[in-house]
Amino acid sequence: MNAAPILIAGAGPIGLAAAIALHRSGQRALLIDARARDAGARDPRAIALSHGSRLILERIGAWGNIVATPIREIEVSQDGGFGRSHIAAADHGIEALGYVSRLGSLTAALMETALALGIEVRFGSALGRAGTVPGGMLADVAGAALETSLLVRAEGAVAVPASSNKDYHQSAIVTEAWCRDGHRSCAHERFTRAGPLALLPLETGFSLVWCMRPAQAQQLARLSDAEFMEALQQATRFAPYRWSRLAERHIYRLALMRRGADAAARETALGNAAQSLHPVAGQGFNLGLRDAFELALALGDGVSDGALALWRARRRRDRDAMVNTTDRYVSLFSNDLAPLRMARGLALALVDLVPPLRSLVANRMMFGKR
């Protein structure tokens, strides 16, 4: 029987970041992934990194390898109503509020850091059944029994059944779009009757996340590039961009999935294996990274039931706050009732006019609930 002090299932960005952070804290981890070695590097999506995530990645020595586009301004507005909020990094004395990176590029950069540290990664190794043993877990890995002091699931939402599931009855069209005007490092979040539309600066163009009813998403996906860009031009009249080129379009069904309490004291989940959030606030990866970093800090003196219990208690507040905040955003900003539209406009205007409130919102997005 083989043994590994900490076993992490899933060599995506969260699993890799957890392994790196644990290594920096003096703990050895083994990463396993059912996929082929280059599967993660081929992911076409983009991901938003908060300023707080940059600080974590810098602290674990991984930021230097990451290619990311800064977000220096954020414009939030709603369609069919007044109210607009503008948040700028300069107002908070920082270089950027956040960053946008290609998910495949981010994964490759973290993999480079992990391998340089000597962290073992086994590809084509699926996690099978797992059960408790004294002081740890016994897991089936690619047909072989492996005993570990802690099993960390980071292989994605589909791998772990969710204890709660809320269908938002929305799909997201995800693609990249280029315009003739440049992005000025400005991100846009536009709340429409069908769902939120986000434009995130990415290299020379934008990462587009356009949420709407599933039937509407399928209809738009069937359009030619020229027809789709015309629809996008109409939907983005709030911004001064003239669209000229598109990348391949992908459609993702949106739901809130949240794992229940850990099945065993020596088993836990990070990232999408713990909770899958609506992309409205771009907080899924950032929440998972905070969980991974805090786990490494908690286990600096070794794996114990007490350290894990304290970590779970400390992280519950941030997790609950982000899950609830994201869910409320979707419910409140996807409702076209006139009173709610007016209340949203007042809230956006208030955030824009009151600096302390604007700072509170910015800090929550950058650092979570501390």
Side-chain angles (χ1 to χ4, degrees):
M1 181 185 298
N2 296 320
I6 298 175
L7 176 63
I8 302 175
I14 293 298
L16 285 162
I20 295 167
L22 286 163
H23 181 91
R24 300 294 191 192
S25 294
Q27 303 301 317
R28 186 169 65 88
L30 167 65
L31 272 164
I32 62 170
D33 200 300
R35 303 170 299 171
R37 183 185 181 106
D38 63 342
R42 296 196 305 265
D43 197 305
R45 292 170 293 175
I47 194 163
L49 309 172
S50 68
H51 173 68
S53 288
R54 172 183 173 162
L55 297 181
I56 290 174
L57 292 167
E58 285 180 337
R59 187 163 174 181
I60 65 174
W63 179 252
N65 292 332
I66 295 170
V67 178
T69 304
I71 299 173
R72 296 193 170 94
E73 299 176 70
I74 299 175
E75 292 272 2
V76 184
S77 61
Q78 65 168 337
D79 186 28
F82 73 97
R84 178 184 294 261
S85 294
H86 177 264
I87 302 174
D91 294 339
H92 303 277
I94 55 178
E95 176 192 343
L97 295 163
Y99 302 82
V100 185
S101 179
R102 299 181 192 279
L103 190 53
S105 172
L106 175 65
T107 303
L110 289 168
M111 182 67 70
E112 181 181 348
T113 300
L115 295 179
L117 292 172
I119 295 170
E120 183 180 0
V121 186
R122 298 181 190 174
F123 294 98
S125 298
L127 175 66
R129 300 172 72 91
T132 59
V133 294
M137 301 287 293
L138 183 63
D140 181 291
V141 177
L146 192 150
E147 188 171 343
T148 177
S149 60
L150 174 64
L151 172 60
V152 179
R153 293 184 176 271
E155 67 268 67
V158 294
V160 181
S163 66
S164 59
N165 190 336
K166 180 177 180 179
D167 189 347
Y168 288 118
H169 304 289
Q170 289 182 355
S171 290
I173 296 179
V174 178
T175 187
E176 290 180 40
W178 288 264
C179 64
R180 301 181 182 92
D181 317 284
H183 53 59
R184 299 177 291 108
S185 297
C186 183
H188 299 268
E189 184 89 55
R190 179 75 163 181
F191 292 101
T192 76
R193 292 173 175 84
L197 184 158
L199 296 171
L200 305 175
L202 178 62
E203 297 178 359
T204 59
F206 282 95
S207 170
L208 169 68
V209 183
W210 194 355
C211 305
M212 62 194 72
R213 294 291 182 184
Q216 184 184 359
Q218 292 293 337
Q219 183 181 9
L220 279 176
R222 289 191 291 267
L223 297 178
S224 67
D225 281 0
E227 291 170 327
F228 185 89
M229 281 191 291
E230 178 57 33
L232 179 60
Q233 198 70 63
Q234 292 298 313
T236 57
R237 287 175 294 178
F238 61 90
Y241 305 121
R242 294 171 294 168
W243 303 107
S244 59
R245 184 162 60 93
L246 286 172
E248 183 181 357
R249 283 162 263 167
H250 303 270
I251 298 180
Y252 300 92
R253 191 67 183 255
L254 303 179
L256 167 64
M257 291 185 289
R258 193 174 190 188
R259 189 174 187 246
D262 291 326
R266 296 298 180 91
E267 178 181 2
T268 194
L270 300 174
N272 283 340
Q275 63 274 313
S276 293
L277 308 182
H278 192 287
V280 59
Q283 289 299 308
F285 173 81
N286 300 301
L287 176 59
L289 184 60
R290 291 196 295 272
D291 281 344
F293 181 66
E294 292 286 345
L295 177 64
L297 292 182
L299 301 183
D301 293 328
V303 179
S304 69
D305 292 347
L308 288 167
L310 181 60
W311 169 78
R312 290 184 177 100
R314 292 184 62 177
R315 293 302 305 149
R316 188 175 299 118
R317 188 179 185 190
D318 188 19
R319 281 186 175 187
D320 289 347
M322 275 302 154
V323 169
N324 294 333
T325 298
T326 300
D327 186 49
R328 287 194 200 102
Y329 278 170
V330 179
S331 300
L332 293 175
F333 282 92
S334 295
N335 193 315
D336 198 39
L337 292 174
L340 273 179
R341 191 163 60 246
M342 180 171 290
R344 290 194 300 261
L346 289 171
L348 289 170
L350 192 62
V351 169
D352 201 50
L353 292 171
V354 181
L357 185 56
R358 192 164 63 245
S359 294
L360 177 64
V361 172
N363 280 315
R364 178 64 62 85
M365 293 300 102
M366 289 191 288
F367 301 111
K369 189 163 188 175
R370 297 181 292 176

